[in-house]
Amino acid sequence: MIKRCKTKVKNWIKAFQAAKHIDLKPLADQLNQLVQQLATASDQLEHVQNQLRYLELLALRNNQRQATYFGANRTASWNLDNLFFVVNVPDFGFPANLIRDSAYEEVNYQITQYLWDWERPFLDIGANCGIFAARLGNLTRRIPTQIFAFEPNPEMHELCEINFFNNGLNHCHAIQNAASNTFSPASLWVSPGHSGGASIDSNGSQGEERGSGNQTERKVEVQCITIDSFLQKKGIQKPSFAKIDVEHHEGQVLEGMDQTLTAMANDPETFGIIFECLEGIMPKILSAMVAKAIDQGYGLFHIASRTRLTRISQEEIKNFPGYLLLLNKAMVAKKLHQSLNNTNASDYAANRLEIPL
């Protein structure tokens, strides 16, 4: 199309040079039509360029990704970010996402790696096989920092340790405890086909198994700890960021780190927590801890996109299921750029904040 347009312009120039008198209106109409054709060609070219970029990205990912089946329908290995991961083949969580696009919760990962102060400790609470922590660990190999991955499921904890060891991530530590608000033992219900859905039993269910068929879950006894006590034992006063994904146990985890939340609320160092709120459900304990954090000055945000956060009130959580953020004042001031300020809105009405990724 662009070649045809060039040819037309050349012919018009020749005709104009040859003619002593010429009616310019038809020429103007033709030029207007030519401009429209060029605009269409430009849009088509941009579309083709976007498709080529996408294909290039897929080719790059497929070139980097490798898989090896170890047998017994138990584990496989994947190459992601030049890391060697061992995962469960029967599990439709991590393996399915790795097979599909070589990533898992990529938006959360991108946001976390930007908000986290790399020189201060990161807490991955509900780490599964350690893929999230390992990717962050890969970024910080040469930085004096520590990453603590809490995973109570014995099988996932073992894979987590293997993945850290295989990739030489000596600053990543797998902790086989359930983060909670107590030091007592607890029951963890584990599904062989969905290890990411393992949940602490808060109802005292009887028996060693529940469900049926492919949905059968088995009970595993695990030891609980609080994040506050763990940090005190390690001598850590100012962690930088935490990810909490523990299947409706987020409130207990937050209660178990109440001292940390209070201490970091008005601290000049940045501090934030990304946590899951499945289907907008707010158990009483989670609701109480979020309310307390907001009263202490934390901002509550919903992840609107990879680069944009929407500030919401606690009452609006049911309208924003998924992953939410609690960020202290220092985090908002130092890391985020305000893109819209509605002065007529209440304190926790929607504000837009940009993450410069």
Side-chain angles (χ1 to χ4, degrees):
M1 179 181 286
I2 294 177
K3 288 184 178 180
R4 290 201 302 270
C5 291
K6 288 182 177 179
T7 302
K8 285 184 180 181
V9 171
K10 289 180 180 179
N11 292 336
W12 291 340
I13 292 173
K14 289 179 181 179
F16 185 78
Q17 291 173 341
K20 294 181 179 180
H21 301 287
I22 187 169
D23 185 1
L24 295 179
K25 187 178 184 306
L27 180 61
D29 292 340
Q30 292 180 16
L31 282 172
N32 185 52
Q33 184 180 10
L34 177 63
V35 169
Q36 293 177 353
Q37 291 175 343
L38 285 172
T40 301
S42 177
D43 291 341
Q44 292 175 344
L45 180 60
E46 183 179 2
H47 177 68
V48 171
Q49 287 175 331
N50 289 336
Q51 285 185 318
L52 288 174
R53 290 193 192 100
Y54 179 68
L55 290 174
E56 183 181 17
L57 178 61
L58 288 180
L60 179 62
R61 285 179 170 176
N62 284 328
N63 184 53
Q64 291 179 340
R65 184 173 62 211
Q66 300 174 359
T68 302
Y69 181 56
F70 293 150
N73 199 30
R74 183 176 180 272
T75 58
S77 64
W78 309 96
N79 194 325
L80 172 66
D81 293 349
N82 294 319
L83 295 170
F84 182 82
F85 286 109
V86 178
V87 295
N88 275 353
V89 171
D91 194 325
F92 66 79
F94 282 109
N97 283 275
L98 292 174
I99 293 169
R100 186 179 65 207
D101 57 9
S102 296
Y104 188 79
E105 296 180 354
E106 187 67 18
V107 171
N108 291 346
Y109 169 74
Q110 293 292 337
I111 290 175
T112 298
Q113 62 90 16
Y114 174 75
L115 294 179
W116 170 38
D117 180 349
W118 291 7
E119 294 187 351
R120 290 164 47 224
F122 172 78
L123 310 174
D124 186 358
I125 304 170
N128 204 279
C129 65
I131 185 173
F132 201 94
R135 293 185 71 189
L136 293 175
N138 190 42
L139 295 174
T140 54
R141 289 179 180 275
R142 295 173 176 83
I143 297 176
T145 190
Q146 295 186 87
I147 296 174
F148 299 100
F150 296 82
E151 178 50 56
N153 182 351
E155 186 175 13
M156 290 300 104
H157 174 263
E158 180 184 5
L159 291 180
C160 193
E161 285 190 320
I162 289 172
N163 288 326
F164 292 164
F165 177 81
N166 284 343
N167 293 287
L169 302 173
N170 298 324
H171 62 301
C172 295
H173 313 282
I175 313 299
Q176 193 177 351
N177 292 111
S180 188
N181 56 354
T182 179
F183 298 95
S184 303
S187 297
L188 181 74
W189 287 100
V190 178
S191 170
H194 184 30
S195 62
S199 60
I200 294 291
D201 181 12
S202 57
N203 300 315
S205 302
Q206 300 297 314
E208 297 301 314
E209 290 188 350
R210 67 182 185 184
S212 61
N214 294 331
Q215 302 300 320
T216 299
E217 296 178 308
R218 60 185 177 86
K219 183 188 292 186
V220 177
E221 295 300 319
V222 297
Q223 181 63 45
C224 295
I225 60 170
T226 69
I227 295 299
D228 281 340
S229 65
F230 177 83
L231 294 177
Q232 290 170 7
K233 184 178 180 180
K234 292 290 183 180
I236 298 171
Q237 296 181 344
K238 295 184 179 183
S240 173
F241 203 79
K243 176 184 75 70
I244 307 175
D245 188 350
V246 289
E247 308 301 313
H248 295 299
H249 203 68
E250 286 78 9
Q252 288 84 342
V253 175
L254 288 175
E255 189 173 58
M257 60 189 304
D258 182 53
Q259 295 176 22
T260 302
L261 280 166
T262 301
M264 297 303 299
N266 297 301
D267 197 277
E269 297 286 358
T270 59
F271 180 69
I273 299 172
I274 183 171
F275 66 97
E276 189 175 34
C277 187
L278 292 172
E279 301 170 354
I281 297 173
M282 282 287 286
K284 288 184 179 180
I285 188 170
L286 177 58
S287 179
M289 291 307 302
V290 170
K292 184 174 182 178
I294 291 174
D295 288 341
Q296 291 173 332
Y298 285 87
L300 178 65
F301 297 88
H302 174 257
I303 299 173
S305 71
R306 187 172 72 92
T307 60
R308 176 165 290 180
L309 305 178
T310 300
R311 193 165 191 169
I312 63 174
S313 68
Q314 186 176 356
E315 291 72 25
E316 293 176 298
I317 287 179
K318 61 180 180 295
N319 300 322
F320 295 94
Y323 287 89
L324 304 176
L325 288 157
L326 281 172
L327 306 178
N328 73 349
K329 296 174 184 176
M331 182 77 83
V332 175
K334 294 180 181 180
K335 291 283 190 174
L336 304 177
H337 301 306
Q338 192 166 337
S339 61
L340 176 64
N341 183 17
N342 184 359
T343 57
N344 297 322
S346 61
D347 289 343
Y348 290 99
N351 283 323
R352 296 280 185 171
L353 294 175
E354 298 287 350
I355 296 177
L357 294 177

